[in-house]
Amino acid sequence: MAKRNRSIRRENLPAGEVGPREPCPCGSGKRYKACHGAKGGASDVFVGRPFEGLPSECDVVAMRELVPAATAPLSVPSAGDRKVLLCSLLPMAVPAMSRDSGEVWLGLQVQHNYGDPSRDLAAVLTRALEAEPGIVGLTEAPGEGPRLQDLVTGDSLDVTVHDGFEFWVADVEDTTGMESALEQANQQATPTARLSSVEAAYWTNVGTKEHLRWVMPEPEDQLLDALARLHAAGQDSIATDSRLVGMFRAHGLLAPVWDLPVGTGPEVLEDSAAAFAKDLAEALADTSDLTTAQRAARSGLANRQVTIR
């Protein structure tokens, strides 16, 4: 992973409001009022960790930023007996679809951002539950209202990773005219699998290389310290000839990324990922000062972060 100067440190990432003259938390380098706080742009509130408190927060972040094709049913009491399906991506990146079957599909990978993705999703979901069958979206900031955490119940999500986007037409009898869009979407989807031994860890094959991208819930500073301890001890490998190359920062969470040799596949990662999770828990519990080697490892990891906006 290449070093990016536009990433931002955890302490500069607010949980609530941002002043108009402060740096925009997205990492653009602009003042907030000239970026996400601009009139007609995002809302006047930027939430640094918008999905905190949602069932399977780390998986939600992964589905929004890292996973091409995945779905997870949502438990939404206000929907009554109607099914609500959370989707990584919907056709044309639309925010939501009210289906002829009565189901509501809610898309995570969308083109708008009004400062709080959770509030945006809740606004779209509320509208979709009231709408006739068709596409539902946002053309302006939703204003005051519930967040997705206020509408969804449950402790965890049952995430299904799909080989492609055939789920788009699973409930459609006549798919005439949809073949081209479906084929194009499938061509852009990299093979992806979710590990079952740990939470929110996703293997992917990008052709020239394989990766494991693992979204983790721990605060950034603590996680960096723990990863540095493991790296200095030679305990940060996830498979034979694998290498921890950096991490993504998205929606207030870090996602460490390992490079894997082509041909590794997801199956052989299950046991080693579980073992790594155990080692990481022990490293997180260690509150002693970092050694010189560990501080050097931490600095290297911190310099290999890419902020996803």
Side-chain angles (χ1 to χ4, degrees), residues 10 18 41 80 94 109 207 229 259 261 268 290 293 303:
R10 172 73 184 178
V18 181
V94 300
Q109 297 176 24
R229 295 181 193 278
D259 276 356
V268 301
L290 297 180
N303 288 332

Side-chain angles (χ1 to χ4, degrees), residues 1-7 300 302-306:
M1 293 176 61
K3 178 180 175 180
R4 301 283 182 89
N5 292 327
R6 297 171 68 179
S7 62
N303 288 332
R304 297 198 299 273
Q305 294 179 357
V306 175

Side-chain angles (χ1 to χ4, degrees), residues 141-153:
E144 296 296 327
R147 307 177 72 236
L148 198 59
Q149 289 90 330
D150 301 320
L151 304 179
V152 174
T153 61

